Structure formats: structure tokens, C-alpha cells
Amino acid sequence: MTTYHLTLSSNKTQKRQKSINLIVSFDRTTRRLIPTKIHVLESQWDKANECVVRHPGAAALNIQLAKQVKSIQELEISAIAAGEPFTYEYLAKVLPHTKKKPVTDPRKETCFNSYFFNAIKRQYRLQPQTQEDHYKTYKVFNAYAPGLLFKDFTYNTLAGFDKFCIERKLSDSTIWKHHKNIKKYLNLASKEGVYSYAPGKHPYDLFKAPRVQGNKTALSVSELDRLENMELPAHLDKHRWMFLFLCYTGMRISDFMRLTPSLMEDDVLVIRPKKTEHSSSAEAHLPVKILFDGKPYKIWERFNFDFPCHAKGFELRFNICLKQIAMLAGISKKMSAHVGRHTFLTHIAAKTGNVFTVMSLGGIRKVDTAMVYVHLAEQDYKKALSGICW
């Protein structure tokens, strides 16, 4: 009786990935080894149950293994139906070592561009703006290398794409974002078992896209005082106070536009950022009656706890008004709603000097991100000290 077993190849190196093989045993002495072309670490293979475990793409890999076993079992059934014994020789005849090319077009299965486009559609948790950014990356890459196969995706591909973006006069931050998105979907393909590179052969292990830190504009204490005390036309006055509310709470404009009094819990404003709403670790707990001597709560109370920010196109109009306010206030910095968040986090870093306070009040998950504001606060102190005659 023919038996089927999935085993992991043996080698002395423990950390290197090993191939999974299908062993077809015809009797106690005769058997055939068929490589599945799937590689996993030894810790990711369950020998007792013959399946992949603790692997990001375990489900997809196990489905592939089951399909390969089923395909050989179907050969056995067809041999029995034809009245032929299913032996080693029969299997060698229908399944020679030199494999024929598959009937299906390999480009449909291993084309990176097609996978990239379809994978974006499957990312149901992406915010609309993020999904749009991923589609932009797809369009630029598809213009550079249409129909590129995974196996042809190399270091030279990325180096050429980098040059292609520079020739199109894209900014350094935009080019870095495109590389970030491409790397995400190459890694996703590996997790899903669509295509994986050998250890050390991943294109982004060889090509390093230089990361560009954006300029984080923040207002000084004197500039905030100027905004609070200056006279403004009536149509700009409400926008001035809404912007100051952002400066004293650090809220993103997307969270500000869905602010309601129901978010207050025991005098603490609990914000679950829209940008990372699926992660409870990114919540911001803002004691609005204490922060900056209670200024954010007083501003909110000034509007009867209902800011006029819910109309369609508010963010665009708000940013236009902020540019007008900056001009009247004599502020040369480039103003936008997000400057309020940078201002808040920089001032919190300067006043507390505690990176974990910055993370908690800003709803920031990564220490590296919070440290940016600590460094900004240090730079402000250095500028102030440089003008002092000791």
C-alpha cells in the first residue's frame, strides 16, 4: 500500500531554512522523494502533524502542501483506473526529474505587478488615504517595470527604480515612501507563500533606500502668545482658536473633526487616533483641564463643546485660513493644521523632558518617533542659549 509523508530535509545548520519534501513509499524498500520547493525553519515545522506552524504564511503554505500531496494521490487513482500498478517506475514515467513547464502562464502566478495591485485591494484595514498612496506607488513602479516577475526582481531593479524616480523629479521623501510600500508587499508575498527569496537574497537586504526625515515645524511660546492676543477679522477668529486648541492638545486634524464631548472620561479626553484606530496602545489620554493651565478646555467651552469642523472640505479651508493668520501675525513658518500637533509635542518634550510622557499624550507607539520631538526641544534650547552673552 502506498503511503505519503511530508518531511523536512536534514542539514547541520539549525538557523538556515530547510526544504520540505514529499516521500512516496511504495513498500518498505522502495520510495520516491519529491521536493515541494517550500522552505521553512526547523522551529516552524511540526513533525508529528506534518504541517507548517509559527510561520506568518503557515495557512497558505499548508494549503500548497496539501495540493501537492493530492496531485500525486490523483496520479495513483488514475493508474488504478487504467489497470496499471502504481509503482516507482510508473511514477518516474509520469513524473520525470526534468519537469515540464506548467500549462498556465507563469506571469499570472509570479508577476509582482499583478500581485501588488491585487494585494492592495485585499488590505481592508488600510485608511483610504494610505490605500491611495499605495496605488500611487503601484502606478509609478508599473510605469518603470511593467509585468516584472518576482524572480527578476533584484538589486538592479531597485537601483533602476530609484534613478527613474529621480529623473521624474520626485522628492526624496516621496521616493523613500515608494520604496517603503514596495518592500511591504514583497514581504507580504513571502508571508503568503506566493514567492520568497533565499536568505540574504531579498532585494531590500542589498539595496538600502535612504530615509528622509521631514521638517517638523513648531511654534514658539512667543508665537503662540502673539496668536492668542492679536486682533483678527471675524471670519479668521474662530479658525485661530481652533488652531490653538490643536496646539494645546496635539490632536491630528482627522481626530479633531470627529471630536465629541462623549470622549471625556473623568476630566480626561481619550482619543483613539483614526490613523491607528485598530491599536489600543496608541490611545492618547489628555487631561484638558490641566494641560497649559486648562487652555484647551476653555477654548472648547468657548465653542459650547462643538467645533464647526464637520462640514465637507473643512481641512482645506482651515489650512487656507491658517496661512492668512500667519501672514497677519508676522509668522514666516509654513502653517498647516499639523503644525499644531508638532507644537504640542515639542512643548511637552521641553517641559517634561520625558519621552514616555510625549508618547502617552501624543498617542505615539514608537520611542523613535517620540524622540524626534525631544531632539527638537533640545535644538530650541541651544538656539536660545547661543544668543546669550555669558
Side-chain angles (χ1 to χ4, degrees), residues 338-356:
H338 208 63
V339 170
R341 178 169 174 80
H342 294 325
T343 299
F344 171 80
L345 293 172
T346 304
H347 284 233
I348 291 298
K351 291 178 182 295
T352 66
N354 190 326
V355 66
F356 297 106

Side-chain angles (χ1 to χ4, degrees), residues 143-351:
Y144 164 68
L148 182 72
L149 299 180
F150 272 102
K151 67 182 182 66
D152 298 330
F153 203 124
T154 62
Y155 167 89
N156 292 332
T157 305
L158 295 176
F161 177 67
D162 204 64
K163 183 180 178 182
F164 176 79
C165 291
I166 293 172
E167 290 174 348
R168 295 187 67 166
K169 298 182 179 179
L170 300 182
S171 66
D172 291 341
S173 59
T174 301
I175 296 173
W176 179 82
K177 186 182 289 186
H178 287 328
H179 280 295
K180 177 185 174 184
N181 293 338
I182 292 170
K183 184 178 180 180
K184 170 186 171 69
Y185 286 96
L186 279 175
N187 292 339
L188 184 62
S190 177
K191 291 177 181 177
E192 292 182 343
V194 175
Y195 191 89
S196 60
Y197 293 92
K201 297 296 183 180
H202 192 292
Y204 278 103
D205 288 343
L206 307 172
F207 180 89
K208 301 296 181 184
R211 180 164 187 174
V212 181
Q213 289 288 354
N215 295 323
K216 297 189 184 299
T217 305
L219 301 185
S220 64
V221 174
S222 60
E223 288 169 333
L224 288 175
D225 290 339
R226 201 184 315 166
L227 285 177
E228 283 192 32
N229 300 314
M230 67 183 295
E231 294 291 332
L232 283 174
H235 73 284
L236 294 178
D237 188 56
K238 63 180 181 181
H239 291 90
R240 176 251 303 266
W241 291 112
M242 285 191 287
F243 176 69
L244 286 171
F245 181 83
L246 297 180
C247 291
Y248 295 139
T249 60
M251 294 177 63
R252 297 181 180 90
I253 188 66
S254 57
D255 301 323
F256 175 69
M257 291 174 65
R258 56 180 190 169
L259 178 65
T260 62
S262 63
L263 299 177
M264 287 288 290
E265 299 178 6
D266 298 328
D267 294 340
V268 175
L269 182 60
V270 180
I271 302 298
R272 294 175 179 83
K274 185 177 180 180
K275 184 177 180 181
T276 54
E277 60 186 342
H278 298 292
S279 174
S280 59
S281 62
E283 286 183 355
H285 297 257
L286 302 170
V288 289
K289 292 185 178 181
I290 300 175
L291 285 171
F292 298 93
D293 291 329
K295 287 182 180 180
Y297 188 81
K298 292 173 185 176
I299 295 173
W300 198 11
E301 192 176 33
R302 184 191 190 109
F303 286 83
N304 293 321
F305 304 101
D306 186 18
F307 289 111
C309 60
H310 307 294
K312 187 176 181 180
F314 167 78
E315 184 178 355
L316 177 61
R317 293 191 299 273
F318 186 48
N319 285 329
I320 292 173
C321 290
L322 289 181
K323 288 176 174 58
Q324 296 174 5
I325 292 171
M327 190 185 304
L328 293 173
I331 298 174
S332 59
K333 295 174 181 177
K334 189 176 180 180
M335 292 280 279
S336 69
H338 208 63
V339 170
R341 178 169 174 80
H342 294 325
T343 299
F344 171 80
L345 293 172
T346 304
H347 284 233
I348 291 298
K351 291 178 182 295

Side-chain angles (χ1 to χ4, degrees), residues 349-382:
K351 291 178 182 295
T352 66
N354 190 326
V355 66
F356 297 106
T357 304
V358 176
M359 294 175 69
S360 176
L361 295 177
I364 298 173
R365 292 181 296 174
K366 297 180 180 179
V367 175
D368 291 347
T369 305
M371 283 301 297
V372 171
Y373 298 100
V374 176
H375 296 321
L376 284 174
E378 290 174 352
Q379 289 174 12
D380 288 341
Y381 278 127
K382 289 177 182 177

